[in-house]
Amino acid sequence: MTIAALLALIEEELPGIPRHPAPSIPRSRFSAKDTTMNTQPEPAARPSSPSSTTGPLTVGALIAWALGHSDRAVRRHGEQAHDNLGWLRTRHAADEELARVDAEEKDLEERLAAVRARKAQLGSTSKRKSPVRDYVPAEVRAWARGAGLDVPAVGTVPNTIVAAWREATGGAQ
């Protein structure tokens, strides 16, 4: 049985789903759909006559019946069923949250890809191209210092220095 089918069964009776033939028990305060499964439900009082009500039991009523039963094995199975249903609800909620997070992640990835594509489109027209140099700035600076000219240590080499270097060395133009 899948978790979805079990949850449908837990929420209320589904006609046509076979159940273990258990005596008919009147409904109690405890119901599987109105309990968070964090605490033990209060067992229902045992009916005087199992045939006093008709129709199939809800899962909550069945667990309440089991927890109030005089047979220790029935009570133990009722406790196990209660714990298992609580675990299934917790797991189902976690799986649903994970599915929501996965869908949100996919949406965000698609939006990010669209933003990056737009950024690349806009950025390709606005980028400045570096000037193409026909000289090595470090060589020009070294020559200028050796010639006693004032040249900055970093940044663009002034055009007057480059022109003087070209005249003195016959550097490329």
Side-chain angles (χ1 to χ4, degrees):
M1 179 179 290
T2 66
I3 290 177
L6 183 57
L7 284 172
L9 178 65
I10 290 169
E11 292 304 322
E12 277 306 312
E13 299 98 27
L14 292 176
I17 293 185
R19 292 186 176 85
H20 184 272
S24 191
I25 304 292
R27 292 187 183 267
S28 68
R29 291 183 341 119
F30 176 71
S31 171
K33 73 178 184 181
D34 62 8
T35 273
T36 62
M37 295 299 199
N38 292 332
T39 60
Q40 290 289 340
E42 295 180 21
R46 291 192 66 187
S48 58
S49 168
S51 61
S52 62
T53 60
T54 59
L57 290 176
T58 64
V59 173
L62 187 59
I63 290 174
W65 168 82
L67 293 174
H69 202 277
S70 60
D71 186 345
R72 189 179 346 178
V74 173
R75 284 193 312 269
R76 183 174 44 85
H77 285 292
E79 290 169 2
Q80 289 173 347
H82 181 268
D83 292 344
N84 289 338
L85 288 174
W87 182 89
L88 284 173
R89 283 189 173 166
T90 302
R91 177 60 190 264
H92 182 262
D95 285 354
E96 283 185 338
E97 177 67 15
L98 183 60
R100 280 191 298 271
V101 168
D102 285 343
E104 184 178 356
E105 179 184 32
K106 182 180 177 187
D107 179 53
L108 289 173
E109 287 173 350
E110 290 170 358
R111 290 174 47 199
L112 182 60
V115 167
R116 285 183 174 158
R118 180 69 177 144
K119 181 180 176 183
Q121 180 185 24
L122 293 173
S124 65
T125 60
S126 65
K127 287 187 179 177
R128 279 185 42 192
K129 300 222 178 201
S130 299
V132 178
R133 295 187 196 121
D134 59 348
Y135 62 92
V136 178
E139 290 177 11
V140 174
R141 288 184 212 291
W143 172 84
R145 286 188 193 105
L149 299 172
D150 188 30
V151 65
V154 292
T156 305
V157 178
N159 289 337
T160 56
I161 302 285
V162 173
W165 171 76
R166 285 192 173 125
E167 281 183 32
T169 63
Q173 296 200 21

